[in-house]
Amino acid sequence: MLSVVVPVLNEADNICPLVGEIRAALEGRLEYEIIYVDDGSDDTSMAILRELMTTETRLRVVQHQKRCGQSAGMRTGARFSRFDWVVTLDGDGQNDPADIPKLWDVMPDNADGNRPWMAIGHRVNRKDTWAKRLASRFANGLRARLLKDATPDTGCGLKLFPRQVFLDMPWFSHIHRYLPAMIRRAGGESVSVPVNHRLRTLGTSKYGILDRAWVGIWDLIG
C-alpha cells in the first residue's frame, strides 16, 4: 500500500493532469492514496485541489500556512500518510507517474516499513536547460565523491522509501537531495532506477541555479 506525496507551490495548471496520470499508473496495480501538500501557494492551486477532492476519492490535501520548502512538503505528506510506503514526485509534471511501478518493482522481498531502503529515479535523458544539467552533474559528482552515496541523480523527485524510516531521520530543510546518503548512513541501501523526464509545459520553475548551489554547499558542509 502506497502513499503518493506531491509537494506543490503555485502549480495550478499541472494539478489535474498529474492526478489523472497518477491514477492511470496505479489503478488496479496497488492500493494507494494521493497526498498533495500545498506549500503556501498564492495562485488557484488550493481551490483546484478542493474541487478535485469532490471527485477523486483517493486524494487528500494538506496546506502549509507559509512556504516551508520541498523537503518540508515531503515530511508533511509522510506525516499525514496512512500507508507504510511513500513515493514522492515533483508537482511540475516533469516526473512521469508511469515510472512509479518501476521503483516499486525493484523492492527486495525482505523490505518492510522499518528497514532503511529506498529507490530513486535516475533521469537519464533530462529535458532541462544545459545550464541546469551542467550544474546538476557537478553537484551530483561532488556529493558522490564526498558522501559515497553511489547515486547519479539525487535531485530526481521520484523517490520511494519507508514512511517511518524517513520520519525517524535527523531533519534538515533540504534532506530530499541527501536521502540516499542518509539511508546508507543508517545501514541501508539505495537503488537508482532509470526513469523518464519530461519538458515543463505549464507553470514556471521555483528554483534558480545559484539558489540550489548555495543551499547545496551549506547542506554538504552539514
Side-chain angles (χ1 to χ4, degrees):
M1 296 187 291
L2 183 65
S3 296
V4 183
V5 173
V6 188
V8 290
L9 171 62
N10 293 339
E11 294 288 358
D13 294 333
N14 284 305
I15 290 170
C16 290
L18 190 59
V19 169
E21 288 186 308
I22 295 170
R23 183 179 63 246
L26 299 181
E27 199 70 40
R29 304 187 67 169
L30 293 169
E31 178 64 23
Y32 70 97
E33 63 177 353
I34 305 171
I35 302 176
Y36 262 72
V37 181
D38 181 86
D39 193 32
S41 295
D42 54 20
D43 65 354
T44 58
S45 292
M46 273 305 299
I48 291 171
L49 286 166
R50 289 191 185 102
E51 177 66 23
L52 198 56
M53 278 195 294
T54 64
T55 56
E56 291 285 347
T57 59
R58 297 182 186 271
L59 175 64
R60 302 169 63 210
V61 178
V62 188
Q63 183 181 31
H64 289 164
Q65 291 183 336
K66 62 181 181 179
R67 295 179 185 177
C68 302
Q70 184 174 349
S71 283
M74 290 170 56
R75 186 173 176 83
T76 297
R79 286 178 58 217
F80 279 85
S81 67
R82 296 188 177 111
F83 299 146
D84 289 340
W85 288 89
V86 170
V87 67
T88 63
L89 69 161
D90 293 338
D92 58 10
Q94 289 194 265
N95 296 143
D96 189 346
D99 287 322
I100 295 175
K102 293 182 183 178
L103 272 62
W104 185 268
D105 289 344
V106 300
M107 189 187 301
D109 293 338
N110 64 348
D112 60 39
N114 299 307
R115 300 180 185 180
W117 181 89
M118 73 172 295
I120 180 172
H122 176 200
R123 298 165 291 182
V124 289
N125 293 305
R126 288 190 62 173
K127 303 301 182 182
D128 287 323
T129 64
W130 68 268
K132 281 189 177 181
R133 294 197 304 270
L134 183 62
S136 179
R137 189 176 300 118
F138 173 79
N140 280 314
L142 181 62
R143 271 192 294 264
R145 285 193 297 274
L146 293 179
L147 301 181
K148 298 179 172 40
D149 60 8
T151 305
D153 188 11
T154 59
C156 181
L158 267 170
K159 297 177 173 75
L160 171 69
F161 47 82
R163 171 185 182 271
Q164 196 57 51
V165 169
F166 175 62
L167 292 177
D168 287 344
M169 285 180 176
W171 173 251
F172 55 97
S173 63
H174 299 97
I175 194 174
H176 64 279
R177 296 189 182 97
Y178 290 86
L179 273 181
M182 300 297 287
I183 288 287
R184 289 170 180 265
R185 175 181 180 271
E189 179 188 15
S190 63
V191 178
S192 293
V193 179
V195 296
N196 188 26
H197 192 239
R198 308 184 292 194
L199 286 169
R200 176 189 266 276
T201 58
L202 299 168
T204 57
S205 176
K206 309 305 183 295
Y207 295 101
I209 294 174
L210 293 179
D211 297 336
R212 295 188 190 197
W214 169 243
V215 299
I217 291 170
W218 185 248
D219 289 334
L220 193 57
I221 292 170

